[in-house]
Amino acid sequence: MPARPPPALPAYALYGEGAPGLPGAAAAVDALHCESIAARSRLHGWEIRPHRHEHLVQLLWLQRGTAEATLDGRVQALTGPALVTVPALAAHGFRFAPEVQGLVFTVQERHLQGLLATAPGLAAALLALRGWALQRAGGQAQAVAAAARALRDELQADAAHRAAALDAGLLRLLVAAARTLPQAREAAHAVPERALAHVRRFRALVEAQYRQQPALAALAAPLGITPTQLNRVCRQVLGRSALGVLHARLVLEAQRDLAYTAMSVKQIAIDLGFGDAAYFTRFFQRQTGCTPTAWRQRRGG
């Protein structure tokens, strides 16, 4: 009897809140999110079990205390001050000591890629799965701490030109983090396995074409694989089908439109390639557990 494949790691928006486009994924609508390490880990007994984020990048700043990070199966002990960077699709988990202090910044992958488009060296340094200690000498740890707190404070405020200030603050934090990287770890990590490469290319195709709701065969063909193989690699990496990935992207865009625009449900349905508003409403409710109108009302729209 062939060996049973290991279960797929869960894919979450924020830990415990579901994948983008699935119930509880409202937090994934925003480009940048910040919370203390304790805020979420306390709810789970100080343990964040291994999981992935399909569209999110995270930077964890461990100010003080200890943690055990599991990064793609490698266990690493960390003592603050320290940093961990987690690119989209990377498997990661943590076990924290209860006295831990620090912040977790979560950024939409697409938004971050746009910010780093003119700084490929910075992107290569930070869009890799790794954890490292910060040296107190030389002021680098202090620079990271100041940038992290400033970005947190800007997120919590409601000042003028907030979006520009957040992007500037995020870049400041990323530069400060990159400057602390040990030289021995500057080299890029190994090329992902073939399944992960297929999924990355598939997600890029979905991002470009989701409004047209293409058939899976049309998405699999440019990858040189069949729809069956595409489903297999999506389940291996993301824990759901290729169609589920496409549906999740449609729902995420619908949530953004509902939250941030005055478009009617009918207008949103047409814009996302649905034949009529009733069909879109049934689709949205099946995916999220509530109607588009109810979701907008819950968001305060």
Side-chain angles (χ1 to χ4, degrees):
M1 179 181 296
R4 179 176 298 175
L9 284 176
Y12 293 116
L14 298 180
Y15 182 75
E17 292 189 356
L22 297 178
V29 173
D30 301 313
L32 179 63
H33 177 83
C34 174
E35 65 184 18
S36 70
I37 293 174
R40 195 165 300 263
S41 58
R42 184 188 295 116
L43 301 176
H44 299 277
W46 302 101
E47 181 178 6
I48 304 298
R49 295 185 181 277
H51 61 287
R52 302 178 191 268
H53 301 297
E54 186 177 345
H55 296 281
L56 305 176
V57 176
Q58 289 189 314
L59 187 147
L60 183 147
W61 171 53
L62 183 64
Q63 179 183 2
R64 61 172 54 94
T66 59
E68 183 181 88
T70 302
L71 308 176
D72 266 343
R74 297 175 290 107
V75 178
Q76 181 177 354
L78 295 168
T79 300
L83 285 169
V84 179
T85 52
V86 183
L89 296 180
H92 62 289
F94 299 96
R95 187 187 299 273
F96 297 105
E99 68 275 10
V100 68
Q101 294 183 30
L103 298 171
V104 182
F105 295 93
T106 304
V107 192
Q108 284 283 338
E109 181 187 32
R110 186 181 182 190
H111 185 77
L112 185 59
Q113 288 174 339
L115 283 180
L116 298 180
T118 59
L122 187 58
L126 293 176
L127 296 183
L129 182 64
R130 67 180 97 198
W132 69 98
L134 303 182
Q135 302 301 317
R136 297 180 184 276
Q140 291 183 336
Q142 290 83 351
V144 170
R149 293 190 183 106
L151 183 55
R152 175 202 59 194
D153 293 345
E154 189 66 48
L155 270 164
Q156 293 175 348
D158 191 21
H161 312 297
R162 182 171 180 266
L166 289 177
D167 283 350
L170 178 57
L171 281 173
R172 174 189 174 188
L173 175 59
L174 295 175
V175 169
R179 287 173 173 171
T180 70
L181 275 167
Q183 291 298 315
R185 297 182 184 178
E186 288 288 351
H189 281 241
V191 176
E193 67 271 17
R194 191 171 183 178
L196 186 55
H198 281 320
V199 169
R200 290 186 192 277
R201 292 178 61 199
F202 168 64
R203 288 176 59 234
L205 291 171
V206 168
E207 189 63 34
Q209 303 177 33
Y210 67 90
R211 293 180 190 275
Q212 289 74 49
Q213 299 193 30
L216 289 186
L219 293 169
L223 308 181
I225 58 178
T226 67
T228 299
Q229 291 170 319
L230 177 60
N231 269 318
R232 185 180 304 123
V233 297
C234 283
R235 290 192 183 280
Q236 285 175 347
V237 176
L238 303 175
R240 54 180 160 161
S241 68
L243 186 60
V245 175
L246 176 59
H247 285 174
R249 186 62 185 90
L250 285 164
V251 171
L252 178 59
E253 196 64 24
Q255 289 174 329
R256 287 172 172 166
D257 288 340
L258 290 165
Y260 301 125
T261 77
M263 294 170 65
S264 68
V265 171
K266 181 178 180 180
Q267 290 172 323
I268 294 172
I270 293 172
D271 186 57
L272 293 178
F274 290 87
D276 59 72
Y279 176 40
F280 166 69
T281 295
R282 291 194 298 272
F283 166 82
F284 189 93
Q285 187 166 14
R286 188 167 61 247
Q287 296 291 320
T288 68
C290 67
T291 66
T293 300
W295 195 93
R296 173 174 269 169
Q297 290 171 345
R298 284 198 329 209
R299 291 283 297 187

